[in-house]
Amino acid sequence: MQAHEIMKTDVIKVTEQESIRSVIGKFIEHQISGLPVVNDKNQLVAYISDGDIMRFIGKHKDIIIDTFYYVNVIKGDDDEFEQRTQKALDLNVMSIARKKVIKVAWDEEAENIAAVLGNKRIKKLPVEKDGVLVGIISRGDVIRHSFKSLL
């Protein structure tokens, strides 16, 4: 089984000219947490996720994370968070999107796709054919297609 047999072709995406406001709107409207960013030729140039936005709006100092992942926050100014979230809305998507995108070719085998999704701990993989975005594959897509005939 190859990527083109698993992928969704109705890819929700943003262009490199759009703002984080547009990204957040698509996250909410489509109940998703990440989007490919494309140029005017539909070529993949970046990927933006909810994690990228969280890193931007999150407190940048006075946070201590111990070895057991308990977070101790020293009281900060609540207005700072509101200011960061407001500022984020008007940023261009490319200012916080990841430019090094993990992606797969349209003819990549399912077992390799599963390995990438699992080992890299990512939720979705953009699919390219001839340098153009043609689809997207999620962990759920791989699970559904891999196990549906076995149940």
Side-chain angles (χ1 to χ4, degrees):
M1 187 173 359
Q2 295 182 329
H4 62 89
E5 299 172 90
I6 303 170
M7 70 184 192
K8 291 183 176 141
T9 56
D10 56 337
V11 181
I12 300 159
K13 57 194 170 194
V14 291
T15 66
E16 59 189 339
Q17 292 83 25
E18 291 185 61
S19 69
I20 297 300
R21 183 181 307 273
S22 177
V23 170
I24 297 290
K26 289 181 182 188
F27 281 3
I28 293 167
E29 178 183 351
H30 300 285
Q31 298 180 351
I32 56 177
S33 60
L35 292 166
V37 183
V38 296
N39 63 17
D40 58 353
K41 296 177 183 173
N42 204 39
Q43 296 168 321
L44 188 64
V45 295
Y47 194 89
I48 183 82
S49 71
D50 54 359
D52 299 319
I53 297 168
M54 288 295 106
R55 280 186 287 283
F56 182 84
I57 66 172
K59 193 172 187 82
H60 294 253
K61 59 180 181 174
D62 300 333
I63 295 181
I64 302 164
I65 302 175
D66 68 21
T67 55
F68 296 106
Y69 300 102
Y70 293 108
V71 178
N72 297 312
V73 179
I74 300 169
K75 182 71 174 146
D77 184 1
D78 290 334
D79 290 339
E80 290 177 17
F81 180 73
E82 289 177 20
Q83 289 169 354
R84 284 192 303 274
T85 54
Q86 187 63 45
K87 180 181 176 184
L89 290 173
D90 296 322
L91 288 174
N92 176 277
V93 65
M94 294 301 289
S95 63
I96 61 175
R98 285 174 278 139
K99 281 83 174 172
K100 289 186 177 182
V101 182
I102 300 171
K103 56 194 171 188
V104 294
W106 127 287
D107 59 352
E108 189 63 65
E109 295 295 330
E111 63 187 336
N112 295 333
I113 295 166
V116 171
L117 287 166
N119 293 333
K120 295 292 184 180
R121 296 181 182 188
I122 55 178
K123 297 175 185 175
K124 295 180 184 176
L125 277 172
V127 181
E128 284 186 328
K129 182 178 183 184
D130 300 325
V132 175
L133 180 69
V134 293
I136 196 153
I137 298 175
S138 70
R139 291 177 179 183
D141 296 331
V142 174
I143 294 292
R144 280 187 292 282
H145 282 81
S146 300
F147 290 95
K148 72 180 174 185
S149 66
L150 302 175
L151 296 177

